[in-house]
């Protein structure tokens, strides 16, 4: 898109007084036009998406769900992303599967391709619960599992992550910073938080719904929670990193966008 042509078109579309503002208002007019242009670009530019296709995501999710259904720890381990696989063992995964209730059937209801990951929403019939139970899986660019959870259970750091993002959505910048570790608060002023979140939200088409939070790793010096957010253009996951004490020490605002 040609910036000069856009500015000229905006000028010619208005009355002469608007085209030739007084010296006192010229800078304000230029700023307003620049902001309008930036918003227009953000609204019309497609959001970048993961290289994993919907078909590939569906196949990867079905492979994982079949492994969960069969309680096959080895297959699940092979389907984990590198960071998860490096932090566990086949034996540990199998022990978790042995303790888990049996899944008799499942269905995939929605696949949402994000900037660099894919969120798969599914429903499963579990022997210990009535009806279908919602299940979330997050896959990386290679179709490997980053995180998953049964929807309806919420851990403390997941609750904190949801409160943090809801404060961002509402524009409560000082309230949102309350959840940050003190050192991170020193790095990230309320103005920085506002700028990063506002640009991310605008670029992705505005926040439509904060859907869920799920833990990718917990219990260590760094704990990772993924907050699934439905934007106007794409559904994506905001990575919120906690320390052992449950305070936020970093947030991935997608540096490519903000």
């Amino acid at each position: 898109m040609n910036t000069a042509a856009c500015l000229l078109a905006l000028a010619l579309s208005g009355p002469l007084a608007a085209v030739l503002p007084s010296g006192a208002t010229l800078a304000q007019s230029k700023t307003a036009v620049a902001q309008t242009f930036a918003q227009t670009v953000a609204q019309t530019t497609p959001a970048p998406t993961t290289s994993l296709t919907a078909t590939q995501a569906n196949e990867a999710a079905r492979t994982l769900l079949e492994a969960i259904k069969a309680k096959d720890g080895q297959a699940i381990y092979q389907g984990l992303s590198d960071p998860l696989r490096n932090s566990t063992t086949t034996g540990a995964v199998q022990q978790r599967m042995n303790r888990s209730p049996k899944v008799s059937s499942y269905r995939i209801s929605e696949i949402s391709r994000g900037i660099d990951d894919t969120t798969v929403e599914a429903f499963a019939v579990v022997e210990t619960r009535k009806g279908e139970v919602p299940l979330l899986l997050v896959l990386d660019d290679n179709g490997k599992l980053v995180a998953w959870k049964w929807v309806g259970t919420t851990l403390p750091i997941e609750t904190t992550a949801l409160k943090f993002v809801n404060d961002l959505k509402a524009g409560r910048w000082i309230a949102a910073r309350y959840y940050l570790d003190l050192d991170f608060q020193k790095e990230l002023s309320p103005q920085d938080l506002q700028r990063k979140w506002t640009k991310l939200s605008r670029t992705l088409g505005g926040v439509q719904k904060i859907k869920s939070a799920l833990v990718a790793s917990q219990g260590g010096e760094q704990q990772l929670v993924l907050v699934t957010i439905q934007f106007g253009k794409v559904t994506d996951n905001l990575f919120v990193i906690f320390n052992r004490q449950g305070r936020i020490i970093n947030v991935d605002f997608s540096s490519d966008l903000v």
Side-chain angles (χ1 to χ4, degrees):
M1 185 178 294
N2 189 305
T3 306
C6 287
L7 294 176
L8 179 61
L10 286 170
L12 293 178
S13 66
L16 185 61
V19 176
L20 299 174
S22 65
T25 60
L26 181 59
Q28 294 177 347
S29 298
K30 288 182 176 179
T31 299
V33 170
Q35 290 174 342
T36 300
F37 173 73
Q39 291 171 356
T40 301
V41 171
Q43 291 168 359
T44 58
T45 303
T49 54
T50 174
S51 59
L52 188 72
T53 67
T55 300
Q56 291 170 329
N58 182 71
E59 183 178 342
R62 288 190 179 280
T63 298
L64 284 163
L65 288 166
E66 283 294 333
I68 292 173
K69 182 180 174 183
K71 294 194 173 187
D72 186 343
Q74 176 64 36
I76 295 172
Y77 180 80
Q78 293 301 321
L80 299 179
S81 63
D82 288 343
L84 287 186
R85 200 161 54 244
N86 292 336
S87 65
T88 189
T89 64
T90 303
V93 174
Q94 188 62 60
Q95 287 179 7
R96 180 179 178 182
M97 288 297 99
N98 293 341
R99 294 193 303 266
S100 300
K102 183 174 177 56
V103 173
S104 59
S105 64
Y106 64 85
R107 62 182 177 89
I108 294 174
S109 59
E110 186 174 346
I111 294 176
S112 303
R113 297 172 65 229
I115 298 172
D116 49 16
D117 57 45
T118 299
T119 302
V120 178
E121 299 181 45
F123 290 89
V125 176
V126 183
E127 63 181 0
T128 57
R129 298 172 68 174
K130 292 182 179 180
E132 292 185 314
V133 182
L135 174 68
L136 281 180
L137 302 94
V138 178
L139 309 176
D140 64 14
D141 280 342
N142 298 314
K144 298 298 185 179
L145 188 66
V146 176
W148 69 288
K149 71 171 291 185
W150 298 106
V151 178
T153 58
T154 305
L155 299 174
I157 54 176
E158 292 175 330
T159 299
T160 299
L162 287 171
K163 289 179 179 178
F164 171 70
V165 175
N166 273 295
D167 279 340
L168 293 180
K169 180 176 180 292
R172 297 188 291 262
W173 317 115
I174 294 177
R177 286 180 78 247
Y178 164 78
Y179 301 104
L180 308 184
D181 179 74
L182 185 59
D183 287 339
F184 192 31
Q185 287 190 38
K186 293 175 182 177
E187 295 178 20
L188 200 64
S189 70
Q191 293 76 19
D192 291 332
L193 201 56
Q194 178 181 7
R195 175 179 54 79
K196 288 176 177 289
W197 174 258
T198 301
K199 187 171 181 181
L200 177 68
S201 175
R202 185 177 66 237
T203 302
L204 299 183
V207 177
Q208 305 297 310
K209 181 181 180 182
I210 299 171
K211 303 186 74 171
S212 185
L214 58 163
V215 169
S217 64
Q218 61 177 313
E221 292 300 322
Q222 292 190 359
Q223 308 182 87
L224 174 61
V225 176
L226 281 59
V227 181
T228 305
I229 306 170
Q230 179 183 335
F231 294 94
K233 295 181 180 179
V234 68
T235 294
D236 201 42
N237 292 283
L238 185 69
F239 284 46
V240 184
I241 303 171
F242 291 80
N243 59 18
R244 186 181 290 275
Q245 290 71 40
R247 307 294 292 184
I248 297 172
I249 57 175
N250 206 347
V251 181
D252 180 7
F253 281 106
S254 299
S255 57
D256 291 342
L257 299 180
V258 301

